[in-house]
Every structure is written in C-alpha cells, then in structure tokens.
Amino acid sequence: MDIREALEAFRVLLTEQQERVANMNTEKTDFSTKECVTIGVVDGDGIGPIITKQATRVLKKLLADEIVRGSVIIKEIEGLTIENRMAQGKAIPDDVLAEIKSCDVVLKGPTTTPHGGTLESANVTMRRELDLYANVRPVCIPEQGIDWMFFRENTEGEYVLGSRGLELPGMAVDFKVTTDKGTRRIVRAAFEYARNNGKTHMSVVTKANIMKKTDGKFTAIAHEIAAEYPEITVEDYYIDIMTANLLKEGLREKFQVFVMPNLYGDIITDEAAQLQGGVGTAGSANLGDRYAMFEAIHGSAPRMIERGMGQYANPDSILKAAALLLRHICRSEAAEKLENAIANCPLTVKSDGSAATCEEYADALIATL
Ligand code: IPM
Ligand code: MG
C-alpha cells in the first residue's frame, strides 16, 4: 500500500465511523415487563463447551419453573467454533449471528482469537454487531476491603478498527476512535450505576497526557457528565499509575467505580481479577440498550485442552457471568441464589487436576440450590 492508497483507505474508515455513530440505537429493552426472555447459550472453543455445559445446567435448574411457564426460553446456539469461523472466513458466521440476534441476552463461552491474519475476534465482532457498549466487570475481595466495579468502553477506542490498520512499506498504523456519543453512553452508564448503588467515588482512567485527542475527549466528557452527579467525587488517573495503585494497600480500598476506554479496561480488569484469585474467577457483562452478552473474562485455554485437562476447567467465571445475566433480566432472586451457591460451594476446581472436575463442582453447586 502506498500513501495514496492509505489515504483512500483512511477516508473509507472515517466515513464508516461517522455512519456508525449516526446509527447508534437507543431503544432500551425493559426486562421487568418483558413477557418472554430468550437466553442464548454459545459454547465457543477450547474449555468453552465444558464450562458452558455446566453453566447451562445451572441456569436450567434455577429457571426451571419459568422455562415450564414459557416466560424464559434457553436456546443453545451452535457453530461459533474456530473451525467453522475459519472455514467460512467470518468472525461470526451469518446464521450464528442471526440466531444470536433472535435472543435477548447471550451467555458465551470463550472463543479463540487467531493472531495476525484478518479474522477478527468473535468477541469484538459480537460487541460491535450487538452494540454492547458497556463492559461491566466486578471485582470483590471483602476480606481486603475491595469492592470495585469497572466500566470499560466496549465498542470503540483501540478495538473498533483493530483489524483494519494500514500497512505501508516499512510501517504499520493502527487507529483509535473515540466519539462523543460513544463516550457519553459509557460514562453515563458508570455514573448511573454509582448513583443507584450508593457509590461515591469514580475514577476516570485514561492516558490523556499522551493520547491527547481521544483520551482528552474521554476525560472532558466524563467531567461534563460528572457535573450531573454532585454526590460522586471524580478523580482522573493515568492508566499506568492506576495499575500500580490497584496493588497499593491503604489506597486501593477507596476506589469504587472505574470508567475507561476499551484497551485500558481490557488490561486492568485482568489485573484486578488476578487480585481476586485469577481471571477464572471473574465474570463480565457486555451491555447494550437492546442486547446483552455475558461471558467469562478468560480465554479458551487451548493448553489445558492439549494437556487433556479440559475437564478441570474452573466454571466460576462463567457462572458469575450467568449471575450477572440473571440480574440484568431482573431475576435477582435467582442471581442471589447462584452467587451464594458459588461462594459456598463445598468443592473447588484446580487446573492441575488436584481437586474436583468442572462437572463434579457443578453437581455439588446444583445440590445446594
Ligand atoms: C476480554 C478479552 C477480549 C478482549 C479478547 C478475547 C478479544 O481479552 O474480554 O477482555 O480483548 O476484549
Ligand atoms: Mg481481556
């Protein structure tokens, strides 16, 4: 690609991004009044089918009466596998995407993301196709006084054109996109969460000293919206020092809600999850106005499968995601039951095979429901 071709490619990207913003939908699904909620389950790759199978059993048990009454439908969706995606050359094959869009909410196992090439991550595609702009990740360590809620922008930033960078001779360029509308809605979601949950501290995390235009905009909009929430103290932090602060006892306990652009949120939520016991222990909600998707925050663990240890995959992360899903569709009683069952399950699962299998763990958990 030469500079003239690069400019043309850039023109196309900018036009597409303007169209994306113009088409942002704001119609909200109201689950408190919806007569029938369809939950899609997508199992994914590697340990995905193993952990989602158990999560589906748990959901079916918790929602048994509603499934009989017809107010909840659980739809198992196949075909979101790396083999099928590669064969079709599509991050999410069309028929699978149509099935997903026929649901209201989706529980998704981890999917494999190939390095390089042009096949986009299925996560990124799904977040974009369903416009799931808020990635919400709780991390809670009560014995250390930690109760954090991360609001990661999920549809733009470094990700939206992550597979659309340009290569010129001896040079590669990627793009980061931050829009007013895209920033407003994630910041608003974070502040609304804070207000509705009695939180009084918001950390706005960027690298606005370096990413001046995009993160500069993010920070400016965050403060504009903060003015509507005078009961909430807002502090700006750069992502580098925030990664250090999360390790700093005596300081980290004061953090409550965080809001940040996509890539920083990706990185820091793994760090936070590790403090809680590992990425296998955290769930993640991807929320839009119309749809929502809930997933484990870890990957598909191909090495566990290669070693023949897949049955020892820990389902906690996807079970926590299932609890977030239940809360989102206004089934808070079922959500609470599940959260208590996870916290009090008599068995543990260890990836080295020294404890229960994923299935044994689910059996024990279901027995306590
Ligand atoms: C996550 C994951 C994804 C991301 C990958 C699988 C594309 O790391 O959900 O945090 O980078 O967002
Ligand atoms: Mg990540």
mmCIF file of all heavy atoms in Angstrom, residues 27-69:
data_model
loop_
_atom_site.group_PDB
_atom_site.id
_atom_site.type_symbol
_atom_site.label_atom_id
_atom_site.label_comp_id
_atom_site.label_asym_id
_atom_site.label_seq_id
_atom_site.Cartn_x
_atom_site.Cartn_y
_atom_site.Cartn_z
ATOM 1 N N GLU A 27 -32.936 2.497 21.669
ATOM 2 C CA GLU A 27 -34.142 1.842 22.175
ATOM 3 C C GLU A 27 -33.746 0.805 23.233
ATOM 4 O O GLU A 27 -32.911 -0.055 22.975
ATOM 5 C CB GLU A 27 -34.809 1.130 20.994
ATOM 6 C CG GLU A 27 -36.284 0.927 21.157
ATOM 7 C CD GLU A 27 -36.797 0.140 19.959
ATOM 8 O OE1 GLU A 27 -36.453 0.512 18.816
ATOM 9 O OE2 GLU A 27 -37.489 -0.847 20.187
ATOM 10 N N LYS A 28 -34.336 0.895 24.406
ATOM 11 C CA LYS A 28 -33.914 0.022 25.516
ATOM 12 C C LYS A 28 -34.889 -1.136 25.735
ATOM 13 O O LYS A 28 -36.098 -0.949 25.708
ATOM 14 C CB LYS A 28 -33.864 0.843 26.816
ATOM 15 C CG LYS A 28 -32.500 1.421 27.124
ATOM 16 C CD LYS A 28 -32.366 1.716 28.623
ATOM 17 C CE LYS A 28 -30.923 1.803 29.023
ATOM 18 N NZ LYS A 28 -30.249 3.035 28.882
ATOM 19 N N THR A 29 -34.352 -2.329 25.961
ATOM 20 C CA THR A 29 -35.208 -3.453 26.339
ATOM 21 C C THR A 29 -35.523 -3.338 27.825
ATOM 22 O O THR A 29 -34.625 -3.152 28.634
ATOM 23 C CB THR A 29 -34.479 -4.789 26.082
ATOM 24 O OG1 THR A 29 -34.038 -4.815 24.729
ATOM 25 C CG2 THR A 29 -35.392 -5.969 26.336
ATOM 26 N N ASP A 30 -36.806 -3.456 28.170
ATOM 27 C CA ASP A 30 -37.197 -3.401 29.581
ATOM 28 C C ASP A 30 -37.542 -4.824 30.049
ATOM 29 O O ASP A 30 -38.618 -5.342 29.769
ATOM 30 C CB ASP A 30 -38.401 -2.460 29.749
ATOM 31 C CG ASP A 30 -38.827 -2.359 31.208
ATOM 32 O OD1 ASP A 30 -38.224 -3.049 32.062
ATOM 33 O OD2 ASP A 30 -39.763 -1.589 31.488
ATOM 34 N N PHE A 31 -36.603 -5.425 30.775
ATOM 35 C CA PHE A 31 -36.799 -6.827 31.173
ATOM 36 C C PHE A 31 -37.795 -6.982 32.318
ATOM 37 O O PHE A 31 -38.279 -8.073 32.562
ATOM 38 C CB PHE A 31 -35.452 -7.464 31.526
ATOM 39 C CG PHE A 31 -34.599 -7.708 30.322
ATOM 40 C CD1 PHE A 31 -33.537 -6.874 30.020
ATOM 41 C CD2 PHE A 31 -34.879 -8.766 29.465
ATOM 42 C CE1 PHE A 31 -32.757 -7.092 28.892
ATOM 43 C CE2 PHE A 31 -34.106 -8.992 28.341
ATOM 44 C CZ PHE A 31 -33.042 -8.142 28.048
ATOM 45 N N SER A 32 -38.087 -5.887 33.008
ATOM 46 C CA SER A 32 -39.024 -6.026 34.129
ATOM 47 C C SER A 32 -40.446 -6.240 33.618
ATOM 48 O O SER A 32 -41.297 -6.743 34.335
ATOM 49 C CB SER A 32 -38.944 -4.809 35.045
ATOM 50 O OG SER A 32 -39.382 -3.660 34.354
ATOM 51 N N THR A 33 -40.695 -5.880 32.348
ATOM 52 C CA THR A 33 -42.055 -6.053 31.825
ATOM 53 C C THR A 33 -42.117 -7.039 30.651
ATOM 54 O O THR A 33 -43.195 -7.369 30.186
ATOM 55 C CB THR A 33 -42.609 -4.694 31.326
ATOM 56 O OG1 THR A 33 -41.694 -4.161 30.375
ATOM 57 C CG2 THR A 33 -42.771 -3.707 32.473
ATOM 58 N N LYS A 34 -40.974 -7.488 30.183
ATOM 59 C CA LYS A 34 -40.970 -8.349 29.006
ATOM 60 C C LYS A 34 -41.587 -9.712 29.329
ATOM 61 O O LYS A 34 -41.211 -10.346 30.313
ATOM 62 C CB LYS A 34 -39.526 -8.513 28.511
ATOM 63 C CG LYS A 34 -39.425 -8.945 27.083
ATOM 64 C CD LYS A 34 -38.023 -8.713 26.543
ATOM 65 C CE LYS A 34 -37.988 -8.889 25.036
ATOM 66 N NZ LYS A 34 -38.415 -10.199 24.576
ATOM 67 N N GLU A 35 -42.534 -10.161 28.494
ATOM 68 C CA GLU A 35 -43.269 -11.386 28.823
ATOM 69 C C GLU A 35 -42.431 -12.654 28.680
ATOM 70 O O GLU A 35 -42.603 -13.608 29.422
ATOM 71 C CB GLU A 35 -44.505 -11.508 27.931
ATOM 72 C CG GLU A 35 -45.719 -10.901 28.609
ATOM 73 C CD GLU A 35 -46.879 -10.729 27.658
ATOM 74 O OE1 GLU A 35 -47.035 -11.549 26.738
ATOM 75 O OE2 GLU A 35 -47.640 -9.742 27.842
ATOM 76 N N CYS A 36 -41.562 -12.634 27.681
ATOM 77 C CA CYS A 36 -40.732 -13.826 27.474
ATOM 78 C C CYS A 36 -39.304 -13.386 27.163
ATOM 79 O O CYS A 36 -39.086 -12.576 26.278
ATOM 80 C CB CYS A 36 -41.300 -14.650 26.328
ATOM 81 S SG CYS A 36 -40.248 -16.037 25.922
ATOM 82 N N VAL A 37 -38.364 -13.931 27.914
ATOM 83 C CA VAL A 37 -36.958 -13.592 27.707
ATOM 84 C C VAL A 37 -36.249 -14.799 27.105
ATOM 85 O O VAL A 37 -36.339 -15.907 27.645
ATOM 86 C CB VAL A 37 -36.283 -13.208 29.046
ATOM 87 C CG1 VAL A 37 -34.806 -12.908 28.835
ATOM 88 C CG2 VAL A 37 -36.995 -12.020 29.678
ATOM 89 N N THR A 38 -35.577 -14.584 25.979
ATOM 90 C CA THR A 38 -34.823 -15.680 25.359
ATOM 91 C C THR A 38 -33.342 -15.536 25.691
ATOM 92 O O THR A 38 -32.730 -14.510 25.411
ATOM 93 C CB THR A 38 -35.030 -15.691 23.835
ATOM 94 O OG1 THR A 38 -36.434 -15.749 23.580
ATOM 95 C CG2 THR A 38 -34.350 -16.886 23.200
ATOM 96 N N ILE A 39 -32.812 -16.571 26.319
ATOM 97 C CA ILE A 39 -31.388 -16.598 26.683
ATOM 98 C C ILE A 39 -30.678 -17.524 25.698
ATOM 99 O O ILE A 39 -30.993 -18.720 25.623
ATOM 100 C CB ILE A 39 -31.191 -17.155 28.112
ATOM 101 C CG1 ILE A 39 -31.995 -16.340 29.137
ATOM 102 C CG2 ILE A 39 -29.711 -17.196 28.479
ATOM 103 C CD1 ILE A 39 -31.983 -16.946 30.544
ATOM 104 N N GLY A 40 -29.748 -17.000 24.942
ATOM 105 C CA GLY A 40 -28.953 -17.837 24.039
ATOM 106 C C GLY A 40 -27.712 -18.319 24.773
ATOM 107 O O GLY A 40 -27.141 -17.581 25.572
ATOM 108 N N VAL A 41 -27.292 -19.550 24.494
ATOM 109 C CA VAL A 41 -26.045 -20.040 25.072
ATOM 110 C C VAL A 41 -25.131 -20.455 23.931
ATOM 111 O O VAL A 41 -25.512 -21.249 23.070
ATOM 112 C CB VAL A 41 -26.281 -21.233 26.023
ATOM 113 C CG1 VAL A 41 -24.962 -21.701 26.612
ATOM 114 C CG2 VAL A 41 -27.257 -20.860 27.134
ATOM 115 N N VAL A 42 -23.931 -19.876 23.923
ATOM 116 C CA VAL A 42 -22.969 -20.129 22.847
ATOM 117 C C VAL A 42 -21.733 -20.714 23.504
ATOM 118 O O VAL A 42 -21.177 -20.097 24.419
ATOM 119 C CB VAL A 42 -22.601 -18.786 22.166
ATOM 120 C CG1 VAL A 42 -21.585 -19.009 21.071
ATOM 121 C CG2 VAL A 42 -23.843 -18.084 21.615
ATOM 122 N N ASP A 43 -21.303 -21.923 23.069
ATOM 123 C CA ASP A 43 -20.261 -22.554 23.893
ATOM 124 C C ASP A 43 -18.821 -22.201 23.544
ATOM 125 O O ASP A 43 -17.963 -22.259 24.396
ATOM 126 C CB ASP A 43 -20.482 -24.058 24.068
ATOM 127 C CG ASP A 43 -20.668 -24.794 22.777
ATOM 128 O OD1 ASP A 43 -20.389 -24.195 21.730
ATOM 129 O OD2 ASP A 43 -21.092 -25.957 22.822
ATOM 130 N N GLY A 44 -18.530 -21.838 22.287
ATOM 131 C CA GLY A 44 -17.178 -21.371 21.972
ATOM 132 C C GLY A 44 -16.156 -22.483 21.795
ATOM 133 O O GLY A 44 -16.496 -23.620 21.438
ATOM 134 N N ASP A 45 -14.890 -22.162 22.066
ATOM 135 C CA ASP A 45 -13.771 -23.069 21.769
ATOM 136 C C ASP A 45 -13.077 -23.546 23.048
ATOM 137 O O ASP A 45 -13.287 -22.990 24.119
ATOM 138 C CB ASP A 45 -12.722 -22.322 20.930
ATOM 139 C CG ASP A 45 -13.295 -21.820 19.617
ATOM 140 O OD1 ASP A 45 -13.827 -22.646 18.858
ATOM 141 O OD2 ASP A 45 -13.214 -20.606 19.372
ATOM 142 N N GLY A 46 -12.164 -24.506 22.863
ATOM 143 C CA GLY A 46 -11.317 -24.960 23.977
ATOM 144 C C GLY A 46 -12.155 -25.428 25.156
ATOM 145 O O GLY A 46 -13.029 -26.284 25.018
ATOM 146 N N ILE A 47 -11.925 -24.811 26.320
ATOM 147 C CA ILE A 47 -12.682 -25.212 27.508
ATOM 148 C C ILE A 47 -14.110 -24.656 27.484
ATOM 149 O O ILE A 47 -14.919 -24.980 28.348
ATOM 150 C CB ILE A 47 -11.985 -24.752 28.811
ATOM 151 C CG1 ILE A 47 -11.839 -23.217 28.828
ATOM 152 C CG2 ILE A 47 -10.629 -25.426 28.980
ATOM 153 C CD1 ILE A 47 -11.422 -22.653 30.177
ATOM 154 N N GLY A 48 -14.414 -23.824 26.465
ATOM 155 C CA GLY A 48 -15.737 -23.195 26.380
ATOM 156 C C GLY A 48 -16.898 -24.172 26.522
ATOM 157 O O GLY A 48 -17.741 -24.031 27.411
ATOM 158 N N PRO A 49 -16.954 -25.214 25.644
ATOM 159 C CA PRO A 49 -18.077 -26.155 25.734
ATOM 160 C C PRO A 49 -18.154 -26.825 27.107
ATOM 161 O O PRO A 49 -19.251 -27.133 27.588
ATOM 162 C CB PRO A 49 -17.765 -27.184 24.641
ATOM 163 C CG PRO A 49 -16.882 -26.462 23.672
ATOM 164 C CD PRO A 49 -16.074 -25.488 24.484
ATOM 165 N N ILE A 50 -17.016 -27.044 27.746
ATOM 166 C CA ILE A 50 -17.007 -27.749 29.044
ATOM 167 C C ILE A 50 -17.652 -26.876 30.124
ATOM 168 O O ILE A 50 -18.514 -27.330 30.872
ATOM 169 C CB ILE A 50 -15.544 -28.127 29.426
ATOM 170 C CG1 ILE A 50 -14.997 -29.100 28.382
ATOM 171 C CG2 ILE A 50 -15.480 -28.704 30.843
ATOM 172 C CD1 ILE A 50 -13.498 -29.336 28.458
ATOM 173 N N ILE A 51 -17.244 -25.627 30.185
ATOM 174 C CA ILE A 51 -17.784 -24.766 31.259
ATOM 175 C C ILE A 51 -19.203 -24.277 30.948
ATOM 176 O O ILE A 51 -20.032 -24.189 31.843
ATOM 177 C CB ILE A 51 -16.841 -23.574 31.583
ATOM 178 C CG1 ILE A 51 -16.568 -22.704 30.351
ATOM 179 C CG2 ILE A 51 -15.541 -24.056 32.210
ATOM 180 C CD1 ILE A 51 -15.777 -21.440 30.660
ATOM 181 N N THR A 52 -19.502 -24.018 29.665
ATOM 182 C CA THR A 52 -20.865 -23.537 29.365
ATOM 183 C C THR A 52 -21.893 -24.645 29.565
ATOM 184 O O THR A 52 -23.028 -24.372 29.934
ATOM 185 C CB THR A 52 -21.023 -22.985 27.926
ATOM 186 O OG1 THR A 52 -20.281 -23.766 27.045
ATOM 187 C CG2 THR A 52 -20.608 -21.567 27.800
ATOM 188 N N LYS A 53 -21.477 -25.884 29.328
ATOM 189 C CA LYS A 53 -22.395 -27.003 29.554
ATOM 190 C C LYS A 53 -22.868 -26.995 31.009
ATOM 191 O O LYS A 53 -24.064 -27.143 31.293
ATOM 192 C CB LYS A 53 -21.666 -28.317 29.224
ATOM 193 C CG LYS A 53 -22.542 -29.534 29.355
ATOM 194 C CD LYS A 53 -21.817 -30.778 28.858
ATOM 195 C CE LYS A 53 -22.640 -32.010 29.193
ATOM 196 N NZ LYS A 53 -21.816 -33.221 29.209
ATOM 197 N N GLN A 54 -21.926 -26.791 31.917
ATOM 198 C CA GLN A 54 -22.300 -26.791 33.342
ATOM 199 C C GLN A 54 -23.100 -25.535 33.691
ATOM 200 O O GLN A 54 -24.064 -25.593 34.457
ATOM 201 C CB GLN A 54 -21.039 -26.913 34.222
ATOM 202 C CG GLN A 54 -20.233 -28.187 33.958
ATOM 203 C CD GLN A 54 -21.092 -29.452 33.966
ATOM 204 O OE1 GLN A 54 -22.038 -29.585 34.748
ATOM 205 N NE2 GLN A 54 -20.781 -30.391 33.074
ATOM 206 N N ALA A 55 -22.723 -24.416 33.112
ATOM 207 C CA ALA A 55 -23.463 -23.177 33.390
ATOM 208 C C ALA A 55 -24.907 -23.294 32.892
ATOM 209 O O ALA A 55 -25.848 -22.803 33.530
ATOM 210 C CB ALA A 55 -22.765 -21.992 32.735
ATOM 211 N N THR A 56 -25.096 -23.971 31.752
ATOM 212 C CA THR A 56 -26.441 -24.154 31.210
ATOM 213 C C THR A 56 -27.278 -25.027 32.144
ATOM 214 O O THR A 56 -28.443 -24.747 32.409
ATOM 215 C CB THR A 56 -26.375 -24.806 29.807
ATOM 216 O OG1 THR A 56 -25.456 -24.054 29.017
ATOM 217 C CG2 THR A 56 -27.724 -24.804 29.121
ATOM 218 N N ARG A 57 -26.665 -26.086 32.663
ATOM 219 C CA ARG A 57 -27.378 -26.942 33.640
ATOM 220 C C ARG A 57 -27.836 -26.115 34.830
ATOM 221 O O ARG A 57 -28.960 -26.252 35.304
ATOM 222 C CB ARG A 57 -26.435 -28.026 34.168
ATOM 223 C CG ARG A 57 -26.214 -29.196 33.254
ATOM 224 C CD ARG A 57 -25.228 -30.172 33.903
ATOM 225 N NE ARG A 57 -25.781 -30.797 35.102
ATOM 226 C CZ ARG A 57 -25.025 -31.243 36.120
ATOM 227 N NH1 ARG A 57 -23.716 -31.109 36.101
ATOM 228 N NH2 ARG A 57 -25.598 -31.802 37.173
ATOM 229 N N VAL A 58 -26.938 -25.262 35.309
ATOM 230 C CA VAL A 58 -27.253 -24.443 36.487
ATOM 231 C C VAL A 58 -28.399 -23.479 36.161
ATOM 232 O O VAL A 58 -29.357 -23.352 36.927
ATOM 233 C CB VAL A 58 -25.985 -23.678 36.957
ATOM 234 C CG1 VAL A 58 -26.332 -22.665 38.026
ATOM 235 C CG2 VAL A 58 -24.932 -24.669 37.466
ATOM 236 N N LEU A 59 -28.329 -22.851 35.001
ATOM 237 C CA LEU A 59 -29.395 -21.914 34.606
ATOM 238 C C LEU A 59 -30.732 -22.645 34.477
ATOM 239 O O LEU A 59 -31.774 -22.155 34.916
ATOM 240 C CB LEU A 59 -29.064 -21.252 33.267
ATOM 241 C CG LEU A 59 -28.137 -20.040 33.291
ATOM 242 C CD1 LEU A 59 -27.912 -19.534 31.872
ATOM 243 C CD2 LEU A 59 -28.699 -18.916 34.175
ATOM 244 N N LYS A 60 -30.698 -23.822 33.856
ATOM 245 C CA LYS A 60 -31.946 -24.586 33.669
ATOM 246 C C LYS A 60 -32.557 -24.964 35.011
ATOM 247 O O LYS A 60 -33.777 -24.973 35.169
ATOM 248 C CB LYS A 60 -31.689 -25.842 32.822
ATOM 249 C CG LYS A 60 -31.531 -25.511 31.341
ATOM 250 C CD LYS A 60 -31.428 -26.764 30.492
ATOM 251 C CE LYS A 60 -31.426 -26.388 29.011
ATOM 252 N NZ LYS A 60 -30.949 -27.499 28.167
ATOM 253 N N LYS A 61 -31.697 -25.246 35.972
ATOM 254 C CA LYS A 61 -32.187 -25.599 37.301
ATOM 255 C C LYS A 61 -32.812 -24.356 37.972
ATOM 256 O O LYS A 61 -33.923 -24.407 38.499
ATOM 257 C CB LYS A 61 -31.013 -26.142 38.126
ATOM 258 C CG LYS A 61 -31.263 -26.302 39.589
ATOM 259 C CD LYS A 61 -31.930 -27.626 39.897
ATOM 260 C CE LYS A 61 -32.307 -27.671 41.373
ATOM 261 N NZ LYS A 61 -32.788 -28.925 41.832
ATOM 262 N N LEU A 62 -32.093 -23.247 37.898
ATOM 263 C CA LEU A 62 -32.566 -22.026 38.569
ATOM 264 C C LEU A 62 -33.857 -21.494 37.950
ATOM 265 O O LEU A 62 -34.673 -20.891 38.632
ATOM 266 C CB LEU A 62 -31.492 -20.932 38.467
ATOM 267 C CG LEU A 62 -30.326 -21.033 39.439
ATOM 268 C CD1 LEU A 62 -29.182 -20.140 38.972
ATOM 269 C CD2 LEU A 62 -30.760 -20.627 40.851
ATOM 270 N N LEU A 63 -34.017 -21.692 36.644
ATOM 271 C CA LEU A 63 -35.144 -21.096 35.934
ATOM 272 C C LEU A 63 -36.195 -22.144 35.547
ATOM 273 O O LEU A 63 -37.064 -21.876 34.706
ATOM 274 C CB LEU A 63 -34.638 -20.367 34.675
ATOM 275 C CG LEU A 63 -33.671 -19.203 34.941
ATOM 276 C CD1 LEU A 63 -33.022 -18.734 33.648
ATOM 277 C CD2 LEU A 63 -34.399 -18.039 35.614
ATOM 278 N N ALA A 64 -36.110 -23.325 36.181
ATOM 279 C CA ALA A 64 -36.955 -24.455 35.770
ATOM 280 C C ALA A 64 -38.433 -24.066 35.655
ATOM 281 O O ALA A 64 -39.082 -24.355 34.647
ATOM 282 C CB ALA A 64 -36.770 -25.620 36.737
ATOM 283 N N ASP A 65 -38.965 -23.371 36.671
ATOM 284 C CA ASP A 65 -40.401 -23.032 36.652
ATOM 285 C C ASP A 65 -40.726 -22.091 35.500
ATOM 286 O O ASP A 65 -41.740 -22.250 34.819
ATOM 287 C CB ASP A 65 -40.808 -22.339 37.962
ATOM 288 C CG ASP A 65 -40.705 -23.301 39.133
ATOM 289 O OD1 ASP A 65 -40.558 -24.520 38.867
ATOM 290 O OD2 ASP A 65 -40.728 -22.831 40.292
ATOM 291 N N GLU A 66 -39.867 -21.117 35.306
ATOM 292 C CA GLU A 66 -40.113 -20.143 34.240
ATOM 293 C C GLU A 66 -40.025 -20.782 32.861
ATOM 294 O O GLU A 66 -40.750 -20.397 31.939
ATOM 295 C CB GLU A 66 -39.101 -18.997 34.335
ATOM 296 C CG GLU A 66 -39.307 -18.130 35.558
ATOM 297 C CD GLU A 66 -39.059 -16.687 35.221
ATOM 298 O OE1 GLU A 66 -39.812 -16.119 34.404
ATOM 299 O OE2 GLU A 66 -38.083 -16.129 35.751
ATOM 300 N N ILE A 67 -39.128 -21.759 32.733
ATOM 301 C CA ILE A 67 -38.990 -22.451 31.443
ATOM 302 C C ILE A 67 -40.283 -23.216 31.159
ATOM 303 O O ILE A 67 -40.804 -23.183 30.046
ATOM 304 C CB ILE A 67 -37.742 -23.371 31.445
ATOM 305 C CG1 ILE A 67 -36.469 -22.508 31.499
ATOM 306 C CG2 ILE A 67 -37.723 -24.278 30.216
ATOM 307 C CD1 ILE A 67 -35.185 -23.268 31.724
ATOM 308 N N VAL A 68 -40.836 -23.856 32.192
ATOM 309 C CA VAL A 68 -42.105 -24.588 32.039
ATOM 310 C C VAL A 68 -43.225 -23.611 31.673
ATOM 311 O O VAL A 68 -44.019 -23.868 30.776
ATOM 312 C CB VAL A 68 -42.442 -25.360 33.347
ATOM 313 C CG1 VAL A 68 -43.852 -25.941 33.268
ATOM 314 C CG2 VAL A 68 -41.421 -26.465 33.568
ATOM 315 N N ARG A 69 -43.264 -22.469 32.372
ATOM 316 C CA ARG A 69 -44.326 -21.483 32.106
ATOM 317 C C ARG A 69 -44.163 -20.778 30.765
ATOM 318 O O ARG A 69 -45.079 -20.137 30.274
ATOM 319 C CB ARG A 69 -44.303 -20.388 33.191
ATOM 320 C CG ARG A 69 -45.030 -20.768 34.464
ATOM 321 C CD ARG A 69 -45.500 -19.509 35.197
ATOM 322 N NE ARG A 69 -44.445 -18.529 35.451
ATOM 323 C CZ ARG A 69 -43.606 -18.578 36.478
ATOM 324 N NH1 ARG A 69 -43.700 -19.554 37.344
ATOM 325 N NH2 ARG A 69 -42.685 -17.647 36.626
#
